[in-house]
Amino acid sequence: MGVRYTLHFWTLALVILPGVLGDNWGVWYSKTEICAVRESTETIRCRYTYPELTVNTNPPGRIKEGDNVNLTCDTTCKLNQSEITLLKNKQDLGLPSLQFNSISYQNSGNYSCALKGNITISSKQMILDVQYPPKSTSVSVSPSGEIVEGSSVTLTCSSDANPRVQSYTWFKENRAVSSKRLKETYTISNMSSEDSGRYHCQAQNEHGVDNSTAVALTVAAKHSAQLIIALALGIILIVLVVAVMTIVYFKRRKSEGQSGDPGGIKQAEEEGVNYASIQFKKKPAKSSAQQQEQPMDDSNIYSTLKN
């Protein structure tokens, strides 16, 4: 009698349960008598239904940034909107629906509907993927620093887009460097002065295009720094040589002025003396009386010295 009373209690609970949870909540079982021993366990077979929650998007299909979009919750049972809430990335928004005027890519996420106060009972997540044209496009240069003639440089174009960028176009001084669609990197090999200029890239997907800010490339002459250093060293060396020669010259002049050695002057005079030849002429012999009357004249012996 106790077992039969217990079974009737659960039967009553199953009958009342649909009215508590909603019109579409329900549990059905076959009416049959079960004979069971006290404190034993029996399995009662049944079938049940419960309301399903879904997220609807209006308009349906692909969503582009700037579109007007509505998100609503639908259910298979009769529930008031106040009993339903929207979740974004499993966070309760506290609203049964959302209306986006000019939707942004920042509104992308995983949305679902749930019972307010019991968000564990929720619908499957719906991915809201807002597409947009390229934005925040920029160019980076590698390697950075001075670009020497004969070296190679790689330019990289970066852009944020959904779907991803489909093609890139590179420009030099606002003229396309190639008629073909290029990749996100552009390499210039064996650079010369003709490659100097302003470069920018253009990123494009199915929703639009976006241009980067231009970057300036300046190609320096090869080994220009070494040439400048060599020239500076040469100038310094010339100045030093001239300075040393000037010092030596003035020291020599000073030493010559202070010496005043007459011996040197005498030596220089002597070096410039020319000696005339001395000729002796034999005169006829005179009488002893004449020799006594006329004394000997030195001029007859020495000739005039001339320079």
Side-chain angles (χ1 to χ4, degrees):
M1 187 70 178
V3 174
R4 182 171 297 180
Y5 175 79
T6 301
L7 290 176
H8 279 293
F9 171 80
W10 283 109
T11 301
L12 180 61
L14 293 175
V15 171
I16 296 174
L17 187 62
V20 173
L21 298 179
D23 293 343
N24 285 45
W25 288 82
V27 179
W28 292 268
Y29 63 95
S30 300
K31 292 183 179 182
T32 181
E33 291 186 1
I34 299 175
C35 181
V37 179
R38 180 178 294 179
E39 296 183 358
S40 63
T41 302
E42 295 290 336
T43 300
I44 303 176
R45 298 187 178 276
C46 63
R47 56 188 182 87
Y48 62 92
T49 61
Y50 57 90
E52 294 183 0
L53 299 171
T54 56
V55 182
N56 287 335
T57 306
N58 186 26
R62 187 176 60 181
I63 299 174
K64 178 184 174 183
E65 191 174 45
D67 291 344
N68 296 327
V69 178
N70 293 328
L71 295 182
T72 57
C73 290
D74 286 344
T75 178
T76 56
C77 63
K78 296 178 180 179
L79 292 175
N80 296 325
Q81 290 293 306
S82 59
E83 300 178 281
I84 304 174
T85 185
L86 274 169
L87 306 179
K88 179 182 179 182
N89 299 328
K90 297 184 179 181
Q91 298 297 317
D92 190 356
L93 299 179
L95 297 171
S97 63
L98 286 175
Q99 183 177 357
F100 300 104
N101 295 322
S102 186
I103 195 169
S104 168
Y105 74 96
Q106 296 177 337
N107 299 128
S108 298
N110 298 325
Y111 289 83
S112 60
C113 293
L115 294 177
K116 186 174 291 187
N118 190 5
I119 60 174
T120 57
I121 302 176
S122 61
S123 67
K124 293 181 180 179
Q125 290 187 339
M126 185 272 300
I127 300 175
L128 181 62
D129 184 27
V130 181
Q131 299 185 353
Y132 51 91
K135 59 179 64 180
S136 303
T137 305
S138 62
V139 175
S140 60
V141 183
S142 178
S144 58
E146 183 184 26
I147 302 173
V148 181
E149 192 174 21
S151 62
S152 297
V153 169
T154 298
L155 305 178
T156 303
C157 186
S158 302
S159 185
D160 180 22
N162 184 23
R164 65 182 186 86
V165 175
Q166 297 170 341
S167 63
Y168 297 88
T169 305
W170 287 94
F171 295 85
K172 178 188 176 184
E173 304 296 347
N174 295 323
R175 291 186 178 182
V177 298
S178 175
S179 58
K180 299 179 180 180
R181 297 293 183 180
L182 303 177
K183 296 181 180 179
E184 60 182 325
T185 57
Y186 176 58
T187 300
I188 308 173
S189 302
N190 194 22
M191 294 194 69
S192 65
S193 58
E194 296 179 354
D195 296 313
S196 297
R198 295 176 62 83
Y199 291 80
H200 79 273
C201 70
Q202 183 184 84
Q204 180 177 4
N205 69 359
E206 60 187 274
H207 297 302
V209 299
D210 186 47
N211 291 299
S212 71
T213 302
V215 296
L217 298 184
T218 303
V219 182
K222 195 173 184 179
H223 305 307
S224 59
Q226 290 85 343
L227 291 175
I228 293 173
I229 294 174
L231 181 60
L233 291 176
I235 294 174
I236 293 173
L237 182 61
I238 292 172
V239 172
L240 290 176
V241 170
V242 172
V244 171
M245 292 179 65
T246 303
I247 293 172
V248 171
Y249 173 75
F250 282 105
K251 281 187 175 181
R252 182 176 295 178
R253 289 286 302 271
K254 185 177 180 180
S255 63
E256 290 178 355
Q258 292 178 351
S259 61
D261 184 6
I265 300 175
K266 183 178 180 181
Q267 183 180 359
E269 290 179 351
E270 290 179 352
E271 290 176 357
V273 174
N274 294 323
Y275 294 92
S277 59
I278 301 174
Q279 296 181 356
F280 298 92
K281 292 182 180 182
K282 188 175 182 182
K283 293 183 178 182
K286 294 183 180 180
S287 61
S288 58
Q290 291 177 343
Q291 291 179 356
Q292 292 176 356
E293 293 176 356
Q294 296 180 0
M296 186 177 292
D297 188 1
D298 292 340
S299 61
N300 294 328
I301 300 174
Y302 296 100
S303 61
T304 304
L305 297 177
K306 297 182 180 179
N307 292 335

